[in-house]
């Protein structure tokens, strides 16, 4: 772990990596965020942020104006900590107008976390990439994300790998894609109960969407009917370059 945090130390790297920090270390770092102008990327993956460290980190993020990238993957964040408008990290992400890329993959956000993030997406003017792989969002949480996506004008990359999206969640995302003109990548791999109905709905959206360049639907329960619909959509879509359906 780097410890160049006191005023007498040399300026830290523009990209700060603090893998596997303890909660007290996260708290110390958070106190530096309001005034730090050097870091443009903060990687806290595998750190013990948890529900106790999240409010402290939120306060720092709300005042920081230099960070563009934030990695909070596998940081022990849980949906129980995302309580409505007081959701610590999600509230900070929604209010921060500088962050462009956020990865929260591997946290147990659940449908509550998905709902808060969905609301945050609706008004966020800067976020272009959001990683939510393996966050236990479930169908309900993914529908909330889809509703946020429909109102968002900046997001280009959305990763929802391993969230039990299911057919209804995929259908909600499809509806959002018909009006969303920025998204270029949608990751929906390993959502085991996503089958033909969801694939057909997504195929319909792909015939109207002209910004997506890659869609990952690998390791899902898509059968012949869904595959055929997607194949036809791929033929008529002029911008889609990669459509992954491998098992």
């Amino acid at each position: 772990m780097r410890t160049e945090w006191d005023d007498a130390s040399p300026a830290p790297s523009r990209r700060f990596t603090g893998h596997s920090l303890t909660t007290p270390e996260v708290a110390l770092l958070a106190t530096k965020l309001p005034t730090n102008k050097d870091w443009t990327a903060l990687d806290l993956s595998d750190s013990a942020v948890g529900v106790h460290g999240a409010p402290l980190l939120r306060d720092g993020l709300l005042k920081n104006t230099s960070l563009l990238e934030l990695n909070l993957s596998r940081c022990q964040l849980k949906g129980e900590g995302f309580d409505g408008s007081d959701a610590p990290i999600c509230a900070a992400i929604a209010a921060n107008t500088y962050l462009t890329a956020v990865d929260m993959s591997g946290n147990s956000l659940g449908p509550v976390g998905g709902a808060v993030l969905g609301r945050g997406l609706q008004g966020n003017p800067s976020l272009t990439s959001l990683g939510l792989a393996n966050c236990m969002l479930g169908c309900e949480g993914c529908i909330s994300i889809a509703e946020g996506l429909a109102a968002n004008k900046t997001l280009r990359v959305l990763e929802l790998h391993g969230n039990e999206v299911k057919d209804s969640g995929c259908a909600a995302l499809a509806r959002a894609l018909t009006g969303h003109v920025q998204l270029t990548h949608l990751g929906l791999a390993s959502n085991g109960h996503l089958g033909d109905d969801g694939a057909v709905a997504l195929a319909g959206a792909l015939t109207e969407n002209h910004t997506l360049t890659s869609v990952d639907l690998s390791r899902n329960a898509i059968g012949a009917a869904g595959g055929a619909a997607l194949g036809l959509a791929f033929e008529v879509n002029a911008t889609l370059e990669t459509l992954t359906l491998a098992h």
Side-chain angles (χ1 to χ4, degrees), residues 16-197:
F16 181 92
T17 301
H19 296 302
S20 303
L21 299 185
T22 64
T23 300
E25 289 171 334
V26 171
L28 176 59
L29 181 146
T31 65
K32 305 296 178 180
L33 284 177
T35 57
N36 186 284
K37 305 296 182 184
D38 295 296
W39 301 333
T40 57
L42 179 61
D43 183 353
L44 295 178
S45 54
D46 298 297
S47 293
V49 176
V51 295
H52 298 296
L56 301 172
L57 190 56
R58 173 204 58 196
D59 293 342
L61 289 172
L62 286 172
K63 298 177 182 178
N64 182 278
T65 59
S66 65
L67 281 180
L68 303 177
E69 302 174 23
L70 176 63
N71 187 347
L72 293 174
S73 57
R74 302 175 303 280
C75 281
Q76 303 174 28
L77 298 170
K78 297 181 182 296
E80 295 92 325
F82 297 108
D83 183 14
S85 61
D86 294 328
I89 300 300
C90 295
I93 291 170
N96 188 297
T97 57
Y98 299 91
L99 284 169
T100 61
V102 174
D103 189 354
M104 300 183 75
S105 299
N107 292 296
S108 302
L109 303 184
V112 175
V116 178
L117 283 167
R119 289 195 294 271
L121 275 178
Q122 293 181 27
N124 187 285
S126 60
L127 200 62
T128 61
S129 178
L130 180 60
L132 295 173
N134 300 308
C135 283
M136 301 177 68
L137 297 178
C139 180
E140 183 181 344
C142 289
I143 289 174
S144 296
I145 295 295
E147 292 171 350
L149 178 65
N152 180 277
K153 302 302 180 185
T154 60
L155 200 67
R156 290 178 171 82
V157 175
L158 178 59
E159 183 55 63
L160 293 171
H161 173 112
N163 276 294
E164 288 295 328
V165 171
K166 298 184 180 178
D167 288 334
S168 55
C170 188
L173 288 165
R175 290 191 294 272
L177 289 174
T178 59
H180 193 279
V181 295
Q182 298 295 332
L183 204 69
T184 59
H185 171 76
L186 177 61
L188 289 171
S190 298
N191 283 288
H193 293 94
L194 197 169
D196 284 341
D197 288 346

